[in-house]
Amino acid sequence: MNDLAPLLTPEGRALLDEVRDTDPAHELAVATRLRRDHPAELVSAALGQARLRQRAVAKFGAEDAARMFFTPNGVEQSTRRSVAAYRAERLRAAGVRSVADLCCGIGGDAIALARAGIRVLAVDRDPQTAAAARANAEALGLAGLIEVREADATEVDTSGYDAVFVDPARRSSKRGRIFDPEAYSPPLSWAVSTALGASRAAALKIAPGIPHEAVPAEAEAEWISDGGDVKEAVLWFGTAPGTIRATLLPGPHTLVSRGLPDPEVRPVGRYLYEPDGAVVRSHLVAEVAETLDGGLIDPTIAYVTTDTLTPTPYATAYEITDRLPFNLKKLKALLREREVGVLTVKKRGSAVEPEELRRKALPKPHGTASVTVFLTRVAGAPTMLLGHPVR
């Protein structure tokens, strides 16, 4: 799909409605039938857009995805709606009323900002991506708040806006995912310079794997997860320089660094806590351990152990039933004895692949019981901890 224009015509929109729920397995038959009455290129574009909309449901929800227009890269790289809405609310609460959204993609963040009542200039240099952003603003009734401009983000004057939001490209068609922030497009250094010039606030969306030493001193760094999956990191300017936080959605639940030292190491207790990925990425395991009155099972492993159960949104609790040195034969025998039919394998600090262990330890179910196995290190020794999540 190289051109959205045919899909925006009455014929194109009607065709999109007709193919909306097409099963990919039946695409060929549907295409053959529709080409009797419609141009082949239009039918192909409509079916391609239907596939993209189906994929986009996970990020945008069924109602929005069914009305929006996507490019393949736009589906992959756009922000999940819940994360974009959280970020937009932070800007609104900071008094921001207008934002220059640079590298806007298909408009996911611009939509969230507009729904928060913020006026948006959405900029992207790719013609088809900008066209999708414009079509999405119109499809969702937000064209009055979103101006889409096809331009190079580095050449846009943002002085007339309260805030700047930058989502630089972190993928390359040739190299795939980009890990060096200076290889982003545009580079992180340019984004930081632009953010520092914003009149009220700025937010830069970056990869969650960014090293902490790469965070500018003027920035607040926030790692965000949604449903337990780490989605992104954000550098905030004009908020609280030097602050480190982890935010978990839904909620939101936010944990702020207090600069605590590493937790003490202690023997494995009755409960094992697996901190949320945003907590781990933001280096706030010590803050979670303090709230649980817990310690680490190993100085290099981000598992917290305690003898008491304390509810927390920042970690998942498991009750530990067995502790074994790593030994596949013993594990198989124990699973057989317990009549285990469902085996969940987690690892931290182990070179063993979970799927490989699952296949070897439980080649076929022995019953209906379920067990979680943690492949990890305890006091430096390869160890298997068996247990189950606390509901």
Side-chain angles (χ1 to χ4, degrees):
M1 182 191 62
N2 297 316
D3 188 2
L4 283 176
L7 294 176
L8 300 177
T9 64
E11 182 183 10
R13 291 180 183 276
L15 200 54
L16 280 173
D17 288 339
E18 187 169 351
V19 302
R20 172 177 174 174
D21 298 317
T22 299
D23 186 328
H26 301 150
E27 248 187 36
L28 181 59
V30 171
T32 301
R33 174 176 57 82
L34 292 175
R35 283 170 182 161
R36 298 170 190 155
D37 302 309
H38 303 280
E41 295 81 1
L42 181 60
V43 172
S44 295
L47 286 169
Q49 190 61 225
R51 286 196 302 272
L52 293 176
R53 286 177 167 182
Q54 290 167 4
R55 286 166 53 194
V57 169
K59 285 190 173 183
F60 291 92
E63 185 176 351
D64 280 356
R67 294 185 288 167
M68 293 173 68
F69 294 85
F70 300 96
T71 65
N73 285 340
V75 173
E76 293 296 330
Q77 300 179 18
S78 57
T79 304
R80 184 179 290 259
R81 182 174 66 178
S82 55
V83 178
Y86 163 76
R87 208 186 311 104
E89 177 56 27
R90 277 205 67 178
L91 287 169
R92 188 204 64 76
V96 169
R97 295 296 174 263
S98 60
V99 171
D101 177 3
L102 308 180
C103 312
C104 70
I106 54 90
D109 287 286
I111 289 166
L113 290 164
R115 283 175 167 167
I118 297 172
R119 179 172 59 88
V120 185
L121 169 65
V123 180
D124 203 283
R125 68 182 178 184
D126 179 71
Q128 296 308 317
T129 303
R134 189 174 296 110
N136 289 335
E138 294 172 357
L140 299 178
L142 299 169
L145 283 170
I146 301 175
E147 174 195 349
V148 178
R149 186 180 302 175
E150 181 189 328
D152 186 328
T154 63
E155 298 175 357
V156 173
D157 180 9
T158 62
S159 59
Y161 296 84
D162 294 341
V164 172
F165 173 69
V166 187
D167 181 5
R170 297 179 298 282
R171 287 180 181 271
S172 163
S173 58
K174 294 182 179 179
R175 293 182 294 165
R177 191 181 298 274
I178 297 171
F179 297 97
D180 178 8
E182 283 308 295
Y184 291 174
S185 180
L188 181 61
S189 57
W190 175 88
V192 170
S193 176
T194 301
L196 290 171
S199 62
R200 184 180 289 272
L204 311 182
K205 177 182 172 181
I206 55 176
I210 186 172
H212 280 231
E213 55 269 24
V215 175
E218 304 91 340
E220 168 197 332
E222 180 177 32
W223 279 260
I224 303 174
S225 68
D226 186 24
D229 295 326
V230 182
K231 295 301 178 184
E232 65 181 55
V234 185
L235 299 182
W236 294 93
F237 295 81
T239 53
T243 298
I244 302 292
R245 70 174 70 223
T247 295
L248 283 55
L249 302 175
H253 303 282
T254 296
L255 185 67
V256 178
S257 172
R258 300 197 301 282
L260 299 178
D262 291 340
E264 64 175 10
V265 176
R266 62 175 64 175
V268 177
R270 180 177 177 183
Y271 298 100
L272 186 77
Y273 288 83
E274 181 183 29
D276 183 271
V279 171
V280 176
R281 293 278 193 174
S282 56
H283 299 178
L284 298 183
V285 174
E287 279 72 9
V288 171
E290 184 184 67
T291 64
L292 299 172
D293 192 23
L296 300 181
I297 63 171
D298 184 278
T300 63
I301 303 296
Y303 285 138
V304 178
T305 186
T306 72
D307 285 314
T308 57
L309 182 63
T310 305
T312 175
Y314 302 112
T316 302
Y318 294 81
E319 185 170 10
I320 299 302
T321 56
D322 300 270
R323 171 182 170 180
L324 305 169
F326 182 81
N327 185 299
L328 179 60
K329 185 176 180 180
K330 289 184 178 180
L331 178 61
K332 289 179 67 174
L334 186 59
L335 297 179
R336 211 166 26 244
E337 177 187 327
R338 303 276 173 84
E339 298 184 339
V340 171
V342 179
L343 178 63
T344 301
V345 182
K346 293 176 172 286
K347 76 164 190 172
R348 194 164 281 172
S350 171
V352 179
E353 289 301 321
E355 189 53 44
E356 179 186 0
L357 182 83
R358 187 184 298 110
R359 185 175 61 252
K360 291 180 177 179
L362 193 68
K364 52 185 176 182
H366 301 294
T368 59
S370 61
V371 168
T372 299
V373 176
F374 293 89
L375 304 178
T376 188
R377 291 194 305 272
V378 174
T383 302
M384 299 183 297
L385 301 175
L386 280 66
H388 57 268
V390 179
R391 303 299 182 187

